Amino acid sequence: MTSLQGKHIVLGVSGGIAAYKAAELVRLYKKAGARVRVVMTKSAHRFVTPLTLGTLSEEEVHTEIFPPNEEGSWTRHVGLGLWADIMVIAPATAQTMSKLVDGACDSMLTAVALSRRCPLLVCPAMDHDMYLHAATKANMETLRERGDTVMEAAHGELASGLIGDGRLPEPREIVDATVRVLDSAAPKRTGPLAGKTITVTAGPTREAIDPVRFISNNSSGTMGFAIAETAARLGAEVTLIAGPVALATPPGVARRVDVVSTADMHEAVIARHEDDVIVMVAAVADYAPARASTSKIKKDGAPLTLELTPTVDILADLGARRTAQQQLIGFALETDDGPENARGKLDRKNLDWIVLNVLGDEGAGFGAGTNKVTLLGRDGSTVNLPVLPKAEVAAALIHHTLLEC
């Protein structure tokens, strides 16, 4: 059975009295290890506050398609739809279900529902006669025909004082239904890595100097994407955490999380820190400006001095959190004393393997379609690979580090 550990859930809350149960639903999802982001209709605010759901979820609660005062991105509904493993609407009022059927897009909730690429679980709640009305039943059936899952409402005492069908199912029942929907939607993975969860990071990070300039590096992300694709092809459930790169998501990858800064990548990786394997391929910035200007720095002819401070050490944090059963693999790009520096990093950061690139070696480094690496193991083993296409490097790396051990 699918675990909710590390799953991304978008919870849509529409304006019915049962909206108060959303607080308990968020609590149960979080207790199960899921990340929850809440989207609400304006009417839902009458029954439960964004402050309550934001506090419980530890995430921003979204209501408006267009951000207040035009600050931030108006495409957040697209990002949320891509971020989610499942969207759950609880409660789903008769009006909300009608809008889902018609493809209406007049709230953050309906915008995310239209933008998502994940399964949808709809949990109706309304008065008895509304629930039994032919229009409501037709809308529920239309959603099911489209492939969405619609729970049956529960029977009992309603806010109107009537006794009948229309109650929102209890939060525990909705959590169980969420697991069943994810189970049915999960691809049946086969191969030597089937059953394993693997997180791979890829690409550079960017540290802002001002709104238009940043510190970064020349990593294209190709090596990390090749490892993610290979692991998925061998049956693993792969999460790919990518810095700013111009690469399509590899086939078979279960989820992709796009980030910009080292702090963003740290947050995304720590959300997956209990995965069976973590492969830190990303060329993470080691330093960031101590203070990023909020406006563009103008060129005035005078020298510009930047104070840089160390960024968070993601690998060291993972090494401190790791379990005995987990595999942790890092990358090291060196210019001098490569093996010594790489082994030092392996020991300091509590890794199982480290993959050494030496800048200047023919066929290795950023930008090329090939790579030349040396695999250094915790047990003292060394595997030297010749110059190979990056897809073949990925296959060899997984073979030596995950399949032979």
Side-chain angles (χ1 to χ4, degrees), residues 102-145:
D102 291 340
C105 186
D106 62 349
S107 70
M108 191 62 163
L109 188 154
T110 53
V112 175
L114 285 173
S115 301
R116 66 189 164 82
R117 296 184 184 179
C118 63
L120 176 66
L121 172 62
V122 180
C123 308
M126 63 203 72
D127 202 58
H128 176 72
D129 295 300
M130 294 175 67
Y131 183 70
L132 295 182
H133 195 281
T136 304
K137 291 296 186 184
N139 285 337
M140 291 167 60
E141 187 57 34
T142 298
L143 291 173
R144 290 185 177 115
E145 289 173 355

Side-chain angles (χ1 to χ4, degrees), residues 81 153 162 209 319 333:
L162 297 175
I209 297 172
L333 178 63

Side-chain angles (χ1 to χ4, degrees), residues 150-173:
V150 182
M151 292 187 75
E152 293 292 339
H155 182 89
E157 185 175 353
L158 304 170
S160 64
L162 297 175
I163 304 293
D165 295 335
R167 284 177 61 90
L168 182 71
E170 291 304 309
R172 171 50 63 187
E173 296 172 358

Side-chain angles (χ1 to χ4, degrees), residues 182-397:
L182 287 169
D183 263 340
S184 63
K188 305 308 177 193
R189 300 182 182 276
T190 59
L193 295 180
K196 286 192 176 293
T197 55
I198 298 181
T199 286
V200 181
T201 68
T205 58
R206 292 177 178 174
E207 308 302 330
I209 297 172
D210 63 19
V212 298
R213 301 180 180 93
F214 53 82
I215 296 172
S216 190
N217 58 64
N218 292 322
S219 174
S220 66
T222 308
M223 190 70 253
F225 274 60
I227 292 171
E229 181 173 359
T230 302
R233 189 175 67 250
L234 294 175
E237 179 185 329
V238 177
T239 298
L240 175 60
I241 301 173
V245 296
L247 296 173
T249 304
V253 167
R255 67 188 62 81
R256 173 176 175 171
V257 182
D258 290 306
V259 299
V260 176
S261 69
T262 302
D264 297 336
M265 184 166 284
H266 179 248
E267 179 184 1
V269 171
I270 294 306
R272 306 293 311 180
H273 80 275
E274 294 184 345
D275 279 2
D276 298 316
V277 182
I278 299 178
V279 189
M280 286 291 299
V281 191
V284 176
D286 293 326
Y287 291 89
R291 290 168 297 279
S293 175
T294 57
S295 57
K296 181 182 177 181
I297 300 171
K298 295 296 185 180
K299 183 177 179 181
D300 60 6
L304 174 64
T305 300
L306 292 177
E307 180 187 355
L308 302 180
T309 58
T311 57
V312 61
D313 192 325
I314 304 175
L315 257 183
D317 194 1
L318 289 170
R321 295 170 184 257
R322 63 168 299 165
T323 64
Q325 294 76 33
Q326 192 176 43
Q327 288 267 43
L328 189 55
I329 302 169
F331 270 61
L333 178 63
E334 301 291 344
T335 57
D336 303 291
D337 303 319
E340 293 81 4
N341 287 331
R343 284 210 176 271
K345 184 176 181 180
L346 181 149
D347 294 334
R348 288 193 312 275
K349 302 190 180 185
N350 197 19
L351 311 181
D352 294 287
W353 290 88
I354 194 158
V355 182
L356 170 64
N357 289 267
V358 176
L359 192 64
D361 281 359
E362 186 177 351
F366 296 142
T370 60
N371 209 351
K372 178 184 178 184
V373 303
T374 300
L375 312 179
L376 305 174
R378 178 199 289 265
D379 61 0
S381 59
T382 299
V383 180
N384 292 300
L385 298 180
V387 176
L388 295 169
K390 287 183 175 176
E392 294 183 29
V393 174
L397 184 153

